[in-house]
């Protein structure tokens, strides 16, 4: 019984950690429901329909229409900037109540979503750079064409790629798609007509070479058979603001917008304009890293210790935990927790909580591996000598083996902290506005990808350099 007391304490600690974690992060969802606030997923890198303005407020045709309709129908909206793909998955899993993101109404999507009355007419155009020398679809044979994942442009390109003999390359956001064409990697891109026109007005060096094709309409979407009350409110509000003229004012405001003459697109100008937003992204990154590494350390130490306890059940538990979560790609784990689990349990999981759980499991597996390895690297004779003196297993572990093993483990902990910090960037796929997602949002507004990514890279390098120095200092201090 005494031999397994360490394992029992570990299990109790793990259970308490999960309870505290869910109590801390799951509670706010009930507050939103009580205030009759609808959570709406969107893609804030899709100007002029949704993007962040100079004050980091989400604006655009979709955002302004949604707020006007919400005001007209007296409900609140909580905008979730997820990206198009994540927004689609979040509505399917019930994480959000609705979605507005320049979403084309198609027969395939109607099988999964209920759409509002159409609120905008659109079509797909092909854009290219003067350098590429492409002016028609017939010149695309054997070339690559850039598309944005899950969009009407991507669907249109895939429907004609065999006919015209080109291959598609997919991107998660419009700016990277444009950049790929401008640097010559892709011969052209397919984009919604108003979005492409807006980008060109803002300085993107592309030109439209085809007339709008595959014409369709945009609609507000909810999960099929659910949130019908919200859908009715949207339709009623849309009809009212069209009748009052507010709809046309909003559309004209963005479609007729010209590039601001006062915008400073120099490196320092962009940095000065977005320093507050970048600082908030940095704080979110650090907060996410610190919270995640704390829980990852707890769970990693527990499963690491399981691996050295002389009991096959706990050793098997440790091996399975390490094998499963170290073997899963982080992005797959994040999407599974954020969109897959809510589908199974029918309860929303806030993006931050999903991010922490993702990092806790992934980083916890790596910590468990080096905790287990660190302890096993201590000579077996140390434990045998302690036991021969009459010390029980737990006390021998605490007094003799662990002090030696910890010296080997500490530098690896600091390295894992650095890895966790970098891994937070992957969580942008579930809408957490950490440093990488902050960069995407800024680029969507000013289309200055090179300069913004340079800023983000410098911030990461400064943080990681400081942590590397700390790691080296820790290694020197703990050197045997």
């Amino acid at each position: 019984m005494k031999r397994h007391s360490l394992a029992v304490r570990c299990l109790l600690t793990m259970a308490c950690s999960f309870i505290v974690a869910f109590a801390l992060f799951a509670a706010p969802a009930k507050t939103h429901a009580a205030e009759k606030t609808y959570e709406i997923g969107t893609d804030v890198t899709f100007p002029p329909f949704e993007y962040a303005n100079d004050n980091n407020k989400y604006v655009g045709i979709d955002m302004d229409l949604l707020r006007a309709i919400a005001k007209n129908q007296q409900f609140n909206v909580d905008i979730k900037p997820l990206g198009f793909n994540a927004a689609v998955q979040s509505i399917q899993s019930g994480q959000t109540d609705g979605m507005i993101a320049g979403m084309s109404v198609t027969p395939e999507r109607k099988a999964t979503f209920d759409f509002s009355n159409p609120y905008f007419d659109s079509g797909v155009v092909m854009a290219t750079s003067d350098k590429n020398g492409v002016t028609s679809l017939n010149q695309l044979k054997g070339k690559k064409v850039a598309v944005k994942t899950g969009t009407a442009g991507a669907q249109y390109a895939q429907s004609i790629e065999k006919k015209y003999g080109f291959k598609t390359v997919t991107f998660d956001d419009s700016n990277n798609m444009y950049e790929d064409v401008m640097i010559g990697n892709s011969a052209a891109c397919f984009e919604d007509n108003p979005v492409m026109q807006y980008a060109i007005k803002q300085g993107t060096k592309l030109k439209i070479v085809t007339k709008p094709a595959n014409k369709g309409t945009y609609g507000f979407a909810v999960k099929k058979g659910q949130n019908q009350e919200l859908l009715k409110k949207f339709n009623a509000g849309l009809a009212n603001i069209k009748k009052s003229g507010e709809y046309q004012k909003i559309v004209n405001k963005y479609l007729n917008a010209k590039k601001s003459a006062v915008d400073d697109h120099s490196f320092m100008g962009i940095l000065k304009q977005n320093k507050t937003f970048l600082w908030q992204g940095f704080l979110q990154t650090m907060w996410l890293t610190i919270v995640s590494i704390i829980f990852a350390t707890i769970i990693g130490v527990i499963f690491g210790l399981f691996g050295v306890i002389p009991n096959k059940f706990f050793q098997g538990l440790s091996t399975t935990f390490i094998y499963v979560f170290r073997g899963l790609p982080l992005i797959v784990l994040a999407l599974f927790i954020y969109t897959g689990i809510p589908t199974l349990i029918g309860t929303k999981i806030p993006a931050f909580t999903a991010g922490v759980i993702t990092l806790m499991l992934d980083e916890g597996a790596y910590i468990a591996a080096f905790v287990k390895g660190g302890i096993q690297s201590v000579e077996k004779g140390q434990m045998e000598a302690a036991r021969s003196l009459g010390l029980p297993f737990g006390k021998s572990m605490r007094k003799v083996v662990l002090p030696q093993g910890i010296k080997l483990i500490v530098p690896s902990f600091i390295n894992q902290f650095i890895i966790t910090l970098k891994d937070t960037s992957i969580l942008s796929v579930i809408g957490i506005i950490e440093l990488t997602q902050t960069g995407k949002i800024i680029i969507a507004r000013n289309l200055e990808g090179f300069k913004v990514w340079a800023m983000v890279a410098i911030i990461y390098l400064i943080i990681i350099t400081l942590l590397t120095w700390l790691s080296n200092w820790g290694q020197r201090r703990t050197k045997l």
Side-chain angles (χ1 to χ4, degrees):
M1 186 68 181
K2 289 181 179 178
R3 174 174 290 185
H4 303 309
S5 60
L6 180 62
V8 172
R9 284 198 292 272
C10 288
L11 283 172
L12 289 173
T13 304
M14 184 170 62
C16 291
S17 300
F18 277 115
I19 292 170
V20 171
F22 280 103
L24 282 173
F25 301 117
K30 294 181 180 178
T31 305
H32 289 167
E35 294 173 352
K36 295 182 180 178
T37 298
Y38 293 104
E39 295 184 343
I40 308 298
T42 190
D43 173 9
V44 290
T45 62
F46 196 60
F49 290 92
E50 46 264 330
Y51 61 99
N53 66 9
D54 293 346
N55 298 317
N56 298 319
K57 180 182 177 183
Y58 300 130
V59 297
I61 295 173
D62 285 358
M63 296 294 97
D64 286 12
L65 285 179
L66 184 61
R67 291 192 182 97
I69 291 169
K71 184 179 179 181
N72 183 271
Q73 295 295 305
Q74 299 181 336
F75 64 86
N76 298 316
V77 292
D78 182 10
I79 303 298
K80 300 292 183 184
L82 301 172
F84 191 85
N85 272 342
V88 168
Q89 294 176 56
S90 70
I91 196 172
Q92 290 174 324
S93 63
Q95 284 281 66
T96 53
D97 301 307
M99 173 179 175
I100 186 166
M103 190 176 186
S104 297
V105 180
T106 65
E108 293 81 7
R109 288 173 177 163
K110 280 184 175 179
T112 309
F113 301 103
D114 286 329
F115 284 95
S116 68
N117 295 330
Y119 68 84
F120 194 88
D121 296 327
S122 184
V124 177
V125 294
M126 184 175 81
T128 186
S129 167
D130 287 333
K131 298 177 184 175
N132 298 333
V134 173
T135 56
S136 71
L137 294 169
N138 293 321
Q139 294 175 292
L140 294 177
K141 188 173 183 179
K143 297 181 178 178
K144 292 190 294 184
V145 168
V147 296
K148 184 177 174 182
T149 310
T151 60
Q155 290 180 344
Y156 176 65
Q158 288 161 3
S159 70
I160 61 172
E161 65 180 331
K162 286 185 179 178
K163 180 180 178 181
Y164 292 101
F166 61 82
K167 293 183 178 179
T168 56
V169 183
T170 57
F171 295 86
D172 283 336
D173 58 75
S174 296
N175 181 69
N176 284 332
M177 181 175 69
Y178 302 154
E179 289 284 347
D180 202 57
V181 179
M182 287 190 286
I183 62 177
N185 284 340
S186 294
C189 64
F190 287 96
E191 180 67 286
D192 287 11
N193 187 34
V195 178
M196 198 68 250
Q197 286 184 344
Y198 180 86
I200 292 171
K201 283 183 182 178
Q202 298 305 306
T204 300
K205 295 177 181 177
L206 296 177
K207 62 179 182 180
I208 296 172
V209 294
T210 61
K211 293 181 179 179
N214 203 29
K215 293 182 179 179
T217 56
Y218 290 166
F220 173 79
V222 299
K223 188 176 181 180
K224 197 165 188 65
Q226 297 186 11
N227 287 312
Q228 297 302 305
E229 183 185 13
L230 173 60
L231 202 59
K232 289 179 181 176
K233 289 179 179 178
F234 187 93
N235 285 333
L238 179 63
N240 289 342
I241 65 171
K242 278 187 174 180
K243 188 176 180 180
S244 68
E246 187 175 4
Y247 169 89
Q248 200 57 49
K249 287 181 182 176
I250 291 172
V251 172
N252 291 341
K253 174 184 173 183
Y254 290 99
L255 292 188
N256 298 330
K258 296 181 180 177
K259 185 177 181 180
S260 174
V262 298
D263 276 355
D264 183 356
H265 281 215
S266 67
F267 186 89
M268 294 308 297
I270 294 172
L271 180 61
K272 185 178 179 182
Q273 188 180 43
N274 296 286
K275 60 183 179 182
T276 303
F277 200 25
L278 287 168
W279 175 247
Q280 290 171 347
F282 164 75
L283 291 179
Q284 181 74 335
T285 296
M286 293 306 297
W287 176 235
L288 185 59
T289 304
I290 291 169
V291 173
S292 299
I293 201 69
I294 289 173
F295 286 110
T297 300
I298 293 171
I299 199 168
V301 169
I302 290 171
F303 279 95
L305 291 174
F306 282 176
V308 296
I309 290 175
N311 180 292
K312 289 186 177 179
F313 172 77
F314 288 110
Q315 288 178 357
L317 201 61
S318 173
T319 302
T320 303
F321 175 79
I322 294 170
Y323 176 78
V324 171
F325 292 109
R326 200 169 59 173
L328 285 175
L330 189 60
I331 191 169
V332 173
L333 185 59
L335 290 171
F336 176 76
I337 291 172
Y338 185 65
T339 63
I341 291 181
T343 305
L344 295 175
I345 64 177
T347 301
K348 295 179 181 178
I349 300 178
F352 188 86
T353 304
V356 169
I357 295 173
T358 301
L359 290 175
M360 177 185 72
L361 295 174
D362 184 82
E363 312 300 337
Y366 285 93
I367 291 174
F370 66 67
V371 166
K372 180 181 173 183
I375 293 173
Q376 288 177 333
S377 66
V378 178
E379 291 185 9
K380 291 182 179 178
Q382 298 289 316
M383 173 62 81
E384 293 170 358
R387 297 301 302 275
S388 67
L389 293 174
L391 294 177
F393 175 83
K395 195 168 186 178
S396 299
M397 182 65 75
R398 290 198 308 274
K399 299 293 185 181
V400 179
V401 178
L402 281 181
Q404 298 178 62
I406 287 173
K407 288 184 178 181
L408 302 172
I409 293 168
V410 168
S412 298
F413 268 118
I414 299 173
N415 286 331
Q416 198 62 39
F417 188 89
I418 295 172
I419 294 170
T420 305
L421 186 143
K422 291 193 292 184
D423 284 348
T424 58
S425 62
I426 296 175
L427 299 178
S428 61
V429 298
I430 59 173
I432 297 177
I433 307 179
E434 40 66 62
L435 204 48
T436 301
Q437 182 72 350
T438 300
K440 289 181 181 178
I441 293 172
I442 295 172
I443 291 168
R445 179 175 64 239
N446 58 29
L447 301 173
E448 293 286 355
F450 176 78
K451 295 169 186 173
V452 175
W453 287 130
M455 291 175 198
V456 173
I458 290 170
I459 294 171
Y460 273 119
L461 283 176
I462 291 172
I463 303 168
I464 289 169
T465 300
L466 293 174
L467 290 173
T468 302
W469 287 347
L470 181 62
S471 174
N472 293 336
W473 176 82
Q475 286 178 326
R476 288 196 299 272
R477 295 284 294 179
T478 58
K479 190 174 181 180
L480 290 171

